[in-house]
Amino acid sequence: MKLKERLRNIFLNNIGLKLGSLATAVVLWFVITNTSNPTTQRQYSNIPVRFTNTDTITDQGEVITVLDGTDTVSTVTVRAPRSVIDVLESDNIVATADARNLTDDGTIPITFMTNRYYSQVESIKASSYNVKVSVEAEMSKTMQLKAYATGTPEEGYVVGDVTLDQNQIRVSGPQSVVSQISEARANVDVTGATGSITTNVDIVLLDSEGGEIDTSTLTMNITSVKITANILPEKEVGISASYTGTPAKGYLANGEVTVSPATVRIAAKSSILNDISSIQIPADAIDISGASEDVSATVDISEYLPDGARFADSSFDGNVTVTVGIEKTAEKDLKVTMDDFAITNVPDGYTASFVSISDSEDAITTQSMPETLTLKISGLQSTLDAVTKDDFTFTYDFDTLISGSANDNISGIYTADAAITAPAGVTYTGGFHAAIRLSSEQDSSEDS
């Protein structure tokens, strides 16, 4: 009992003083604690929002699209003891949007916490507490991937084939976005290039007006592709053409064959390009049969390019226009005399002389009565204007006249038509018939 009394006296004696001392100790502890580790706050910027339980939407064939960039919270303010604030970084701030909490007005509430010392955090405040979203049907599209070269190679070079190591892409995402995709392309810059280029480039999606589509809401099976642009040397070559066929009666080709354009720039490997001097359009490509006026035809010259060559201008379709000039023939009377005719291959020991020569107009010339004879010639007017009788030959050949003769004495009068040679571009009608005396030189000496 004495022990109990002594303990009671210890606790109850001067109770006020003792309680005051306890309060003072608590206050001192609080002051010391807050002085050495005070509560403070810190602001963190651009905190991303992580979505959870999105399968509740995607399992229904729908996709979530964040609107207005609301999946990033611009500022988050954390209040906690300094010892905690000093070690917390932006990565420790966790912002979560649970798709199961999607509201009818298209928002999902954001919850905030820290992944360190969360029990010591006094409060977390944010500049926004909701993510704005749209939910719509998912759409997928498989597209042909196209390759393009941008820029201009070094002067004297052009872009050849541009190829990709993959030629298809599959895109999935919100129907409103995927439905706008009109083209998928890969671009390679060839500015200043003098040789082939191979590189990896990002794939670009375009709408029908050529605008680039934001791919942030899309899923693509590939986002980049290997592209190769062949760079080829070029040069300018001429184009020539010929023709086949005969114009209508009374008409001739005047020799003027024009090609428009007259030249074209082609590109190929140097080993091929060095062997090309011009492009030849064969005669069977242009037929002037029966023509009574100029003949024009469109010819695709691409089929006449050597293997491995192409047109330097990709917009040129290969079609050229070939025109063959056709003119009505003119006529002219060519005047000749007996001196314009020749006798050839006179047998040895014989002499030959004209008795008479007649033309198709029944004009006759003899040694004693010389007359002018006429040959009707025709051709282009420009040709006839320049031609003279000196451009013709009129020949009687005794090899032909006495061929097969078995007589020892072949003297006599021979008749024959002249062999006429006319210059190019000139034709003739009619001819000349002559009587020629072949005399033995022995007989002539005996007569004398």
Side-chain angles (χ1 to χ4, degrees):
M1 293 296 294
K2 290 182 179 181
L3 179 59
K4 288 183 179 180
E5 287 181 3
R6 290 180 63 186
L7 290 174
R8 185 181 299 118
N9 290 334
I10 291 172
F11 284 103
L12 295 179
N13 289 342
N14 301 314
I15 187 65
L17 181 60
K18 291 177 179 178
L19 290 176
S21 298
L22 179 60
T24 300
V26 171
V27 170
L28 289 174
W29 176 84
F30 182 80
V31 170
I32 293 171
T33 299
N34 279 275
T35 299
S36 61
N37 190 24
T39 298
T40 185
Q41 66 183 30
R42 181 179 175 185
Q43 200 172 77
Y44 302 86
S45 301
N46 300 321
I47 303 302
V49 178
R50 180 172 60 89
F51 287 87
T52 61
N53 297 311
T54 54
D55 55 346
T56 60
I57 293 174
T58 56
D59 287 350
Q60 301 179 50
E62 296 179 316
V63 290
I64 299 175
T65 302
V66 176
L67 303 179
D68 304 328
T70 53
D71 59 343
T72 299
V73 180
S74 58
T75 58
V76 174
T77 303
V78 178
R79 185 174 178 80
R82 175 177 292 170
S83 59
V84 173
I85 293 296
D86 286 345
V87 296
L88 288 181
E89 302 292 341
S90 294
D91 293 343
N92 302 127
I93 312 302
V94 180
T96 306
D98 190 335
R100 294 175 301 182
N101 297 327
L102 176 64
T103 64
D104 292 339
D105 63 354
T107 61
I108 303 175
I110 305 172
T111 60
F112 296 92
M113 64 176 297
T114 62
N115 56 19
R116 297 183 68 187
Y117 308 112
Y118 182 61
S119 61
Q120 299 181 51
V121 173
E122 182 176 308
S123 65
I124 300 177
K125 295 181 179 180
S127 57
S128 61
Y129 292 91
N130 291 286
V131 180
K132 295 179 182 179
V133 298
S134 68
V135 177
E136 58 181 303
E138 183 179 33
M139 180 180 180
S140 295
K141 178 185 288 189
T142 299
M143 305 180 65
Q144 190 76 16
L145 187 57
K146 299 179 180 180
Y148 293 90
T150 61
T152 304
E154 186 71 24
E155 185 176 357
Y157 293 83
V158 296
V159 181
D161 293 331
V162 183
T163 58
L164 301 169
D165 67 344
Q166 299 187 63
N167 57 14
Q168 281 191 333
I169 181 174
R170 183 171 179 81
V171 183
S172 300
Q175 184 176 15
S176 61
V177 179
V178 176
S179 62
Q180 295 181 48
I181 303 173
S182 176
E183 182 181 355
R185 63 163 58 186
N187 300 320
V188 57
D189 186 3
V190 298
T191 301
T194 59
S196 296
I197 298 173
T198 298
T199 187
N200 286 307
V201 297
D202 292 334
I203 295 171
V204 179
L205 304 180
L206 303 176
D207 60 25
S208 59
E209 297 181 354
E212 187 171 342
I213 290 177
D214 181 4
T215 61
S216 61
T217 61
L218 302 177
T219 300
M220 302 159 61
N221 66 324
I222 54 173
T223 57
S224 65
V225 66
K226 181 182 288 186
I227 188 170
T228 298
N230 289 318
I231 307 299
L232 303 173
E234 63 166 338
K235 77 175 181 180
E236 188 171 22
V237 297
I239 307 169
S240 61
S242 52
Y243 55 86
T244 188
T246 302
K249 185 177 181 180
Y251 293 85
L252 289 172
N254 63 13
E256 295 181 3
V257 181
T258 60
V259 183
S260 180
T263 63
V264 66
R265 298 195 71 81
I266 60 174
K269 292 180 179 179
S270 296
S271 57
I272 298 173
L273 201 61
N274 292 339
D275 292 334
I276 305 174
S277 58
S278 65
I279 298 175
Q280 305 290 330
I281 299 176
D284 58 8
I286 312 294
D287 188 356
I288 63 170
S289 297
S292 58
E293 60 183 11
D294 291 353
V295 175
S296 291
T298 299
V299 179
D300 183 0
I301 62 173
S302 58
E303 60 183 290
Y304 307 124
L305 288 176
D307 290 341
R310 50 158 290 168
F311 299 117
D313 182 357
S314 59
S315 64
F316 178 57
D317 61 4
N319 288 326
V320 300
T321 301
V322 180
T323 302
V324 180
I326 305 294
E327 291 184 18
K328 188 175 180 61
T329 56
E331 294 183 347
K332 177 180 177 179
D333 288 342
L334 185 71
K335 302 298 183 179
V336 297
T337 66
M338 185 176 285
D339 293 338
D340 297 314
F341 293 84
I343 301 173
T344 61
N345 295 314
V346 177
D348 292 341
Y350 290 84
T351 60
S353 60
F354 288 109
V355 176
S356 65
I357 305 174
S358 62
D359 62 18
S360 59
E361 303 293 323
D362 295 329
I364 300 175
T365 184
T366 65
Q367 295 288 353
S368 59
M369 299 181 63
E371 293 286 343
T372 300
L373 304 176
T374 301
L375 180 70
K376 291 189 175 296
I377 61 175
S378 61
L380 298 176
Q381 187 64 57
S382 57
T383 302
L384 297 185
D385 289 343
V387 76
T388 69
K389 65 180 181 179
D390 294 335
D391 299 313
F392 291 78
T393 61
F394 309 98
T395 307
Y396 296 92
D397 185 355
F398 260 96
D399 274 351
T400 302
L401 293 176
I402 63 176
S403 175
S405 176
N407 297 330
D408 291 336
N409 188 349
I410 54 176
S411 299
I413 302 296
Y414 291 84
T415 60
D417 292 327
I420 302 174
T421 302
V426 176
T427 59
Y428 60 88
T429 56
F432 302 101
H433 189 77
I436 305 173
R437 177 181 287 110
L438 183 66
S439 302
S440 168
E441 292 177 354
Q442 183 179 354
D443 294 340
S444 297
S445 62
E446 290 175 355
D447 291 341
S448 60

